[in-house]
Amino acid sequence: MSQIAAQIVIEEVSCKPDLLFCAATGNSPTGMYAGMAENKEMFHKMKVVKMDEWGIIPLSHPDSCESYLQKHLLDPLEIPDARYTGFDTAPQIVVQEIGRMQNFISQNGPFDICILGLGKNGHIAFNEPNEYLVPEFHKAKLAASTIQHDPALSQGSEPAYGLCVGMRDILLSKKIIFLVTGKGKQTAIDQILSKKITTQCPASFLWMHPNVECLIDNSSL
């Protein structure tokens, strides 16, 4: 799965070296990023946008999305700060960061490639199952199954949250690479494969996109 995904990205960047790449974190894309790093010379113009970030914990925390991207993508591909757009989730600057990121996406988007993983409850980025989904970059209250990632995420003075790219900007991406791997996702996979589009499974909205590469690891089935 990772090798196929890496090759898709390599083919895309060979056609458009300065493409805008929205980067997911977590176990699902790790192997793909390693495959990309084997051809790092191809990514000398690619621009990277962080897709989401945990609230409560600082960017320097080893479990932050920032730390993950530095370790698995930005450093191995030698992406300098000038070609990377990230954001902080510190409570005192959340509103400012939301506005800054949405302005950046509106002015520089759409994403040429958007990498997505699948949450156990069907979420993509931190767009959690709900009665409605948010189109813009936003602050998202995290579901209980999501914050099992790290107990520290529940230790703030408010409910655990994250900041993330909204559904509209995900669906406006020119190409989506949807990577599904890991245990405990069978129910979400079944919901997606039913082709029933529902806000209770945000990933089901990917059926509305004309250019999705969905790669499912056998270990998830």
Side-chain angles (χ1 to χ4, degrees):
M1 182 194 77
S2 297
Q3 291 174 348
I4 293 170
Q7 188 57 42
I8 292 170
V9 177
I10 289 169
E11 291 172 1
E12 292 293 321
V13 82
S14 67
C15 296
K16 186 178 182 181
D18 63 343
L19 62 77
L20 187 61
F21 183 91
C22 187
T25 61
N27 292 330
S28 298
T30 301
M32 181 191 70
Y33 293 152
M36 291 166 59
E38 294 175 1
N39 299 270
K40 65 180 181 180
E41 68 281 353
M42 298 192 66
F43 300 95
H44 65 288
K45 291 185 178 180
M46 188 178 80
K47 296 167 288 188
V48 176
V49 178
K50 179 165 66 172
M51 171 172 286
D52 49 18
E53 183 60 85
W54 304 100
I56 310 299
I57 62 176
L59 294 185
S60 59
H61 192 287
D63 284 345
S64 73
C65 298
E66 187 73 21
S67 294
Y68 173 96
L69 288 177
Q70 294 291 342
K71 178 180 178 181
H72 295 288
L73 181 66
L74 302 175
D75 289 347
L77 268 61
E78 300 179 357
I79 305 291
D81 290 345
R83 288 191 281 118
Y84 171 60
T85 302
F87 52 90
D88 201 343
T89 57
Q92 65 272 20
I93 59 171
V94 160
V95 174
Q96 173 186 329
E97 290 288 77
I98 289 172
R100 180 177 67 83
M101 287 303 298
Q102 189 56 53
N103 285 338
F104 175 87
I105 294 168
S106 297
Q107 293 173 13
N108 296 277
F111 303 123
D112 293 295
I113 296 179
C114 180
I115 307 301
L116 294 173
L118 176 66
K120 292 180 180 179
N121 63 358
H123 76 228
I124 47 178
F126 287 146
N127 294 283
E128 300 276 22
N130 206 334
E131 293 182 7
Y132 62 89
L133 301 176
V134 181
E136 303 93 0
F137 192 92
H138 63 284
K139 179 180 180 180
K141 181 180 177 181
L142 302 181
S145 60
T146 302
I147 60 177
Q148 290 176 356
H149 173 84
D150 191 328
L153 298 169
S154 299
Q155 295 176 0
S157 58
E158 61 176 307
Y161 68 89
L163 301 188
C164 72
V165 173
M167 291 295 294
R168 179 188 62 198
D169 291 310
I170 288 174
L171 294 174
L172 284 174
S173 303
K174 296 177 183 178
K175 177 182 280 292
I176 292 173
I177 301 176
F178 184 35
L179 305 174
V180 181
T181 186
K183 301 294 185 181
K185 300 182 180 180
Q186 186 63 59
T187 298
I189 293 171
D190 290 344
Q191 287 180 308
I192 294 165
L193 296 181
S194 75
K195 296 188 178 182
K196 296 177 181 178
I197 298 171
T198 170
T199 60
Q200 297 304 316
C201 180
S204 67
F205 276 72
L206 297 180
W207 284 111
M208 300 175 68
H209 194 283
N211 191 10
V212 177
E213 300 277 0
C214 179
L215 304 176
I216 303 179
D217 183 1
N218 285 333
S219 69
S220 297
L221 299 175

